[in-house]
Every structure is written in C-alpha cells, then in structure tokens.
Amino acid sequence: MNRTVLMLSLLATLGLTACEQEPTVVTVPATTTPGPAGPAGATGATGSTGSTGEQGNTGNTGYTGATGATGDQGYTGDTGATGEQGEQGNQGNQGNQGEDGDEKPASES
C-alpha cells in the first residue's frame, strides 16, 4: 500500500511536469491601507476530558536476606570475696530472783 501511493504520486508529478506551459504573469494589486479590525469572534467550546489510564502491574517481591551469625557466649565473671564474720555479742546479765509470796511488807507488821 505504501509503495502504491508513492508510485502514483511520482507518476502524477511526472505527468504534470511533462506538459509545457507558458509562463504566467501575476499582476500584484496596488497596496492599500487595511481598515479597522472587526469584533472578536465567539469563544469556542471546551474540549472533553481525557480518559484515565490503566493501573500498572505490581512489582516483584525482593529476596529475603541471609540470617546473621550467632555471637559468641560471654565469659562467666569471678565469684566475689566472702565478707568477714561479725563479732559475737555479749550475753545479758541474769535478772534477780523475785521475793517469796509469804512475807508481808514491812509497813503492815
């Protein structure tokens, strides 16, 4: 189709140039001053809104990263020193023995 149109346009051009024509003389009219501008034309209609495009495809999910190495276990600390034992306290004094219940007080005799 594209070659056919090209070939026909070439043949038409050759056919028109084959005819000999006499030169045409064009008479240019004398220059005149143009008149005032006319009123403004009506405002054109607003164009329609374009359609919304389709939603794009969802992207691929990325690879999962490798698991990190486990760290070494720390050292166990030294046991603390044992404190000194405190001194033993003094034993309290023994109390006095109570009086016998048969005796009367000195003020009653």
Side-chain angles (χ1 to χ4, degrees):
M1 177 73 182
N2 289 340
R3 289 183 184 174
T4 305
V5 172
L6 181 63
M7 293 300 287
L8 286 177
S9 65
L10 285 174
L11 288 175
T13 304
L14 289 174
L16 290 176
T17 57
C19 298
E20 189 175 321
Q21 295 179 351
E22 292 187 27
T24 305
V25 177
V26 178
T27 307
V28 178
T31 308
T32 60
T33 306
T43 304
T46 303
S48 62
T49 304
S51 61
T52 303
E54 297 178 14
Q55 183 175 356
N57 296 333
T58 304
N60 296 333
T61 304
Y63 296 111
T64 303
T67 305
T70 304
D72 296 333
Q73 183 173 353
Y75 296 109
T76 303
D78 296 335
T79 303
T82 304
E84 296 177 9
Q85 185 173 356
E87 296 179 13
Q88 185 173 1
N90 296 332
Q91 187 172 0
N93 296 332
Q94 186 174 0
N96 296 331
Q97 184 174 358
E99 296 180 11
D100 191 6
D102 291 339
E103 297 180 15
K104 291 184 180 176
S107 59
E108 291 183 15
S109 23

